[in-house]
Amino acid sequence: MTTLNKRLYIGSNLKMYKNVRQTMDFLTQLASLTENISRETIDLFIIPSYTSLYQASLKIDHRLIRLGAQNMYWEDQGPFTGEISPRMLEELGLEIVEIGHSERRQLFGETDQTVNRKVHSCLHHGMTALVCVGETLEEKEANLSAERLRIQVKGALHGVAEEQLDHIWIAYEPVWAIGEHGIPATADYAGLAHEVIRGVLCELFLEKGMDIPILYGGSVNRENALDLIRQPEINGLFIGRSAWEADNFDKIIREVLPVWQAKIG
Ligand code: PGA
């Protein structure tokens, strides 16, 4: 099995770190550093905090950096204090919504069912759902990784129609690999997990499942990025800490690109 997708997807979730000024400085610097990289084959995206999104969407050239939100509620409007609706994100011209990051699942009670509702709402509003899946350390140690991934992918995409697949991206982010205390997955381990995910996508959508981008995330850095991207089913990288300095992120992108190009031929 080898992916049919010829684009490289590379982006970062800024989580709850940068304020508006820091986000704008970061985005401006990243846009200028990466300006001469052709966007023909690469999708570069950043997912800032809600408070930075308005200014970012006004000021940043969306052709250079695609912008996304870290979460959303599934209803268009209503008595849902503290939530953000898909219409509000649409109004900002956002293209991507990250759904079901492990921090949302672990700390904020996100389930496969709520992920599925958000995916449908996001698609209904014409935005791309970046669905995060990944097993916990306990599941990995009990040899349940493949089962967990299958359940999460099937749960998230339940009821999604073939013609909506252009707006689905998957991020494989093993919970034990994420963040400061995370241990990065080896390229081989990540490669196998991506094959499991590709297998489920093809079960659900036949050959159309080959086109859906699957990104790896979890302690990606300059050292491991190249081995990860060489894996046949890894279509991109979803990076946290190592991407938060524009300079370092630009270096990762430039180092990864030729390896990716050699892989897709
Ligand atoms: P990390 O974050 O690269 O800092 O481990 C990854 C993520 O949570 O998406």
Side-chain angles (χ1 to χ4, degrees):
M1 239 177 355
T2 308
T3 180
L4 296 176
N5 199 311
K6 300 272 188 216
R7 293 182 73 72
L8 173 66
Y9 299 78
I10 194 153
S12 181
N13 159 19
L14 304 185
K15 305 195 182 184
M16 200 181 74
Y17 286 101
K18 292 185 192 291
N19 62 24
V20 180
R21 186 186 51 74
Q22 292 163 333
T23 303
M24 294 312 297
D25 287 350
F26 169 74
L27 287 170
T28 311
Q29 210 190 338
L30 186 65
S32 111
L33 283 170
T34 61
E35 201 172 0
N36 65 358
I37 299 176
S38 161
R39 296 320 199 254
E40 294 270 298
T41 49
I42 168 176
D43 261 302
L44 175 59
F45 64 95
I46 297 293
I47 308 190
S49 63
Y50 281 136
T51 53
S52 306
L53 279 175
Y54 180 60
Q55 202 167 337
S57 73
L58 284 181
K59 302 246 166 84
I60 296 299
D61 183 344
H62 293 221
R63 287 166 304 182
L64 292 179
I65 301 179
R66 301 177 73 183
L67 292 171
Q70 296 178 14
N71 180 34
M72 64 166 218
Y73 195 57
W74 56 79
E75 295 286 358
D76 283 358
Q77 61 174 27
F80 305 108
T81 301
E83 293 294 316
I84 301 283
S85 95
R87 276 198 197 157
M88 295 166 181
L89 300 179
E90 221 184 346
E91 188 186 12
L92 299 185
L94 294 192
E95 297 178 75
I96 301 159
V97 185
E98 180 178 2
I99 299 175
H101 186 278
S102 75
E103 286 149 19
R104 304 259 2 132
R105 292 181 190 256
Q106 303 226 301
L107 304 172
F108 301 102
E110 194 87 82
T111 64
D112 291 336
Q113 286 70 37
T114 58
V115 166
N116 183 245
R117 294 189 79 160
K118 292 178 180 189
V119 166
H120 280 285
S121 171
C122 173
L123 295 172
H124 176 73
H125 286 274
M127 296 179 287
T128 291
L130 171 52
V131 180
C132 303
V133 297
E135 79 283 5
T136 62
L137 185 60
E138 293 70 33
E139 287 160 347
K140 175 175 179 262
E141 285 172 349
N143 279 325
L144 289 169
S145 306
E147 282 82 353
R148 169 51 68 209
L149 294 177
R150 289 178 56 79
I151 289 171
Q152 287 182 339
V153 172
K154 289 179 97 166
L157 302 186
H158 179 69
V160 170
E162 224 179 80
E163 56 276 13
Q164 297 176 303
L165 294 180
D166 282 353
H167 285 97
I168 296 286
W169 299 355
I170 306 285
Y172 168 59
E173 301 209 305
V175 179
W176 45 271
I178 292 176
E180 227 176 296
H181 305 292
I183 313 145
T186 63
D188 287 343
Y189 185 93
L192 287 174
H194 279 240
E195 278 174 29
V196 170
I197 295 170
R198 181 71 67 208
V200 191
L201 294 173
C202 289
E203 253 175 62
L204 293 171
F205 304 110
L206 306 175
E207 71 273 16
K208 296 252 188 241
M210 296 298 285
D211 277 335
I212 299 174
I214 313 175
L215 290 65
Y216 172 79
S219 294
V220 175
N221 54 41
R222 263 184 94 183
E223 283 69 56
N224 60 19
L226 301 187
D227 280 342
L228 285 161
I229 209 66
R230 280 192 190 99
Q231 291 293 319
E233 296 303 336
I234 297 189
N235 302 99
L237 300 171
F238 193 23
I239 312 176
R241 289 153 299 145
S242 301
W244 296 342
E245 293 292 333
D247 203 34
N248 199 51
F249 193 20
D250 173 59
K251 288 195 177 89
I252 296 179
I253 298 167
R254 287 178 193 278
E255 286 164 8
V256 160
L257 251 176
V259 178
W260 168 260
Q261 269 150 358
K263 179 174 92 171
I264 59 165

